[in-house]
Amino acid sequence: MTKTLANHRVTAFGFGLASAILAFEPALWLVRTWFDPSYSSSGAVYLVAVAGLLLWSLSSPVDHSANHHRQTAALLLVASAFIRLISQVFAINVIGGLALAFDIFAIATLLRVGERKRALSPFWLSALFLFSLPVERIVQRLLGYPLQELSANASCFLLSGVTENLSCNGVRLTLEGKDVLVDLPCSGTSSLMLSLAFIVVLNAIYRPRLSVALLWVGITLVLSILGNSLRISTLALGIAYPHWVLDVNVMMEPWHSVIGYITLALTLLPILRLYRPKARMFVASLHMVKGHELPKSLQKYLALAFVGLAVVVVSLPRQAVDVARATTLPVLPLFLNGQSGQDIPLLPVEQQYLEAYGGYAVKKRYGEHALTLVHTSSPLRHLHAPDDCLRGLGYRVEFLGSRFEAMPSALYRATAENGQQWQVSVSFFSDDGHVTNNVAEAIWIWLQNPSLSWTSIQRVSPWQGALSNQNQFEAAVFAAFDFPRT
């Protein structure tokens, strides 16, 4: 009996130590994303939700006497190690974060949350943990543009039943002569993440069959897109017919957010009213592996081997799979708008990033204006909207919309800690002539043709400067680079 207990302790300690070794670096990266303003992540809230659900379940007794959950947890930890291996070798932090979800699955299984009086689904609990990753930012970059187009088309359909003075052109809607642009923030990724997290929580609590759970995930996805289209349509009507909303500016706070919260509530209400699936007993699914439980002595040696594997995995050299290839590098002009260019050194973190992942960046100041150029064959690594880096540098950034005259550009206002304000505009263009103000569109085009190289050009001017000076500087930039025009 004493020997069996000792074997069990060695096994538990071995798997626990290996799991901690594998999870340390991804967990450290994940925590940093919560505090790094450039990620703009609220992932810590979802971790609190996971912890709250776990405590709620653990405060109830175990209903069943099955004891083979340890083997299931061990298999999940092995799967986590394999994913962590991919993350380490290819230097992709997000994949390492995905491995943490397997750890949550294993922990929930080990704690037998699926067999308690207040049972939870370990699978859906681990799915909820995924929202603690910077998922919204990833979805916005990868799928932001098709979501924009989908929302714009649905909004156009809804508005066509209200007025005939409507023109739809891609993500641009014109209603009563007033332009309504479905920009990247209007893609609906925020409401989509909240809606999906909501249905994941319900699936974790109700524990339906997988087919039923996935059906409700699909329904939630459709309702979220429709809800976002309803929000865009409401904002468009408020812009075109302000007297319908008592002449309030629907694009200003708090009205803009209030409309978003109301449409989100309308999205979730049908789910809350109709979702009542029958629970599937988690224990029944485990009986499939009951007869294959490994001998206790062998489990001890496997646990020790797993520790060795974990050490090897985290020690492997990192080699990013998406390093930008060498290309012809553009340069900034020596003179621009009558001003000589003064080089601005890259920040140490920028220099280190370019050394690790390739790409090319250069900065220059021309009098009171500044330019930043980034050129890459891997836009997922290097291209981003200005608010990503400016927030990380301590600026408060406000998205102002887009401008299409002369050159499609996204516009921002950046406010430094000392109160000084700047106008920031950015455009993205490819080697074959694609030009856009939308980084999500640039990435979407690149995914369809990865052979393309992309360049972003960011212009910075004093907010209080004369509009004519800003326009002259922009025109000089376009002329110097001979950018493709729309």
Side-chain angles (χ1 to χ4, degrees):
M1 181 69 179
T2 304
K3 185 177 180 180
T4 300
L5 182 60
N7 284 338
H8 170 64
R9 288 177 175 174
V10 171
T11 300
F13 176 78
F15 278 107
L17 177 61
S19 179
I21 293 172
L22 291 169
F24 176 76
E25 189 175 342
L28 188 62
W29 166 79
L30 179 59
V31 172
R32 286 172 177 166
T33 65
W34 299 339
F35 297 97
D36 187 343
S38 62
Y39 281 96
S40 190
S41 173
S42 56
V45 175
Y46 294 103
L47 183 62
V48 171
V50 171
L53 287 171
L54 268 176
L55 291 175
W56 175 76
S57 179
L58 293 175
S59 62
S60 64
V62 176
D63 261 359
H64 305 279
S65 58
N67 59 8
H68 46 272
H69 48 276
R70 295 191 186 95
Q71 182 176 341
T72 305
L75 293 174
L76 290 168
L77 290 176
V78 171
S80 173
F82 178 73
I83 296 174
R84 180 71 176 85
L85 171 66
I86 297 174
S87 170
Q88 177 71 19
V89 171
F90 295 117
I92 304 177
N93 291 323
V94 173
I95 295 180
L98 292 176
L100 294 175
F102 278 79
D103 295 333
I104 296 296
F105 199 157
I107 292 170
T109 302
L110 196 62
L111 296 174
R112 304 175 73 175
V113 299
E115 306 166 48
R116 294 182 177 271
K117 186 72 173 179
R118 291 193 288 268
L120 293 172
S121 165
F123 172 79
W124 289 107
L125 198 64
S126 62
L128 180 62
F129 173 81
L130 291 176
F131 289 87
S132 67
L133 304 174
V135 177
E136 182 180 342
R137 186 171 183 265
I138 297 169
V139 171
Q140 196 172 65
R141 288 175 66 81
L142 290 176
L143 299 176
Y145 185 67
L147 284 174
Q148 283 177 261
E149 287 205 315
L150 189 59
S151 297
N153 291 334
S155 300
C156 188
F157 175 78
L158 292 176
L159 290 171
S160 63
V162 178
T163 177
E164 295 181 355
N165 298 322
L166 173 68
S167 173
C168 303
N169 182 19
V171 297
R172 299 180 68 181
L173 311 179
T174 304
L175 183 61
E176 296 292 348
K178 296 183 179 179
D179 198 37
V180 180
L181 181 67
V182 184
D183 274 308
L184 187 55
C186 291
S187 62
T189 51
S190 295
S191 59
L192 178 63
M193 293 300 102
L194 288 171
S195 300
L196 290 179
F198 179 75
I199 194 62
V200 166
V201 169
L202 291 181
N203 284 339
I205 295 173
Y206 283 90
R207 299 167 293 124
R209 295 192 309 274
L210 182 61
S211 58
V212 174
L214 292 178
L215 174 63
W216 277 101
V217 170
I219 292 172
T220 303
L221 178 63
V222 173
L223 288 175
S224 177
I225 294 173
L226 291 176
N228 187 55
S229 300
L230 178 61
R231 180 179 71 91
I232 295 171
S233 300
T234 304
L235 293 173
L237 291 172
I239 294 172
Y241 308 105
H243 58 281
W244 287 10
V245 289
L246 304 178
D247 291 319
V248 301
N249 188 343
V250 294
M251 300 304 293
M252 298 293 292
E253 297 295 349
W255 309 112
H256 191 270
S257 294
V258 167
I259 292 172
Y261 292 139
I262 292 175
T263 53
L264 177 61
L266 292 174
T267 297
L268 301 180
L269 185 59
I271 302 171
L272 194 61
R273 293 285 295 175
L274 300 175
Y275 184 94
R276 294 292 184 273
K278 293 181 179 179
R280 173 185 60 84
M281 293 303 295
F282 179 69
V283 121
S285 66
L286 291 178
H287 282 308
M288 294 185 297
V289 297
K290 185 175 181 180
H292 304 285
E293 189 168 356
L294 298 173
K296 298 293 187 297
S297 58
L298 183 56
Q299 289 180 15
K300 177 181 68 174
Y301 292 112
L302 284 177
L304 295 176
F306 192 45
V307 173
L309 174 64
V311 173
V312 171
V313 167
V314 299
S315 303
L316 290 173
R318 294 166 63 90
Q319 179 59 53
V321 69
D322 55 345
V323 173
R325 62 180 180 272
T327 59
T328 303
L329 302 179
V331 296
L332 292 177
L334 296 176
F335 292 88
L336 198 60
N337 198 31
Q339 299 284 342
S340 62
Q342 304 296 321
D343 290 332
I344 302 175
L346 297 177
L347 297 174
V349 65
E350 294 172 327
Q351 191 63 47
Q352 293 171 6
Y353 193 87
L354 293 174
E355 289 173 358
Y357 302 111
Y360 169 78
V362 62
K363 302 178 182 179
K364 276 192 177 184
R365 181 179 291 109
Y366 300 88
E368 60 182 3
H369 307 280
L371 281 182
T372 297
L373 183 147
V374 177
H375 181 75
T376 180
S377 61
S378 181
L380 270 175
R381 281 285 188 185
H382 298 105
L383 294 191
H384 50 74
D387 51 345
D388 286 344
C389 61
L390 290 175
R391 280 198 303 263
L393 295 175
Y395 288 85
R396 187 176 72 255
V397 184
E398 177 186 359
F399 177 65
L400 302 177
S402 299
R403 181 184 63 204
F404 292 91
E405 296 79 12
M407 181 78 165
S409 303
L411 306 177
Y412 300 81
R413 176 167 55 193
T415 304
E417 293 180 352
N418 61 6
Q420 190 172 10
Q421 293 184 326
W422 305 86
Q423 176 181 292
V424 183
S425 55
V426 64
S427 305
F428 307 92
F429 59 96
S430 68
D431 291 346
D432 70 341
H434 285 101
V435 58
T436 179
N437 61 300
N438 188 338
V439 65
E441 182 180 1
I443 290 173
W444 183 252
I445 295 172
W446 175 79
L447 287 173
Q448 299 171 71
N449 187 358
S451 64
L452 292 178
S453 291
W454 282 81
T455 302
S456 73
I457 186 74
Q458 178 178 290
R459 294 87 68 191
V460 181
S461 301
W463 183 261
Q464 292 79 11
L467 181 60
S468 58
N469 290 340
Q470 294 179 2
N471 291 339
Q472 289 176 5
F473 179 70
E474 294 264 306
V477 171
F478 300 151
F481 285 91
D482 193 24
F483 286 157
R485 307 293 183 90
T486 57

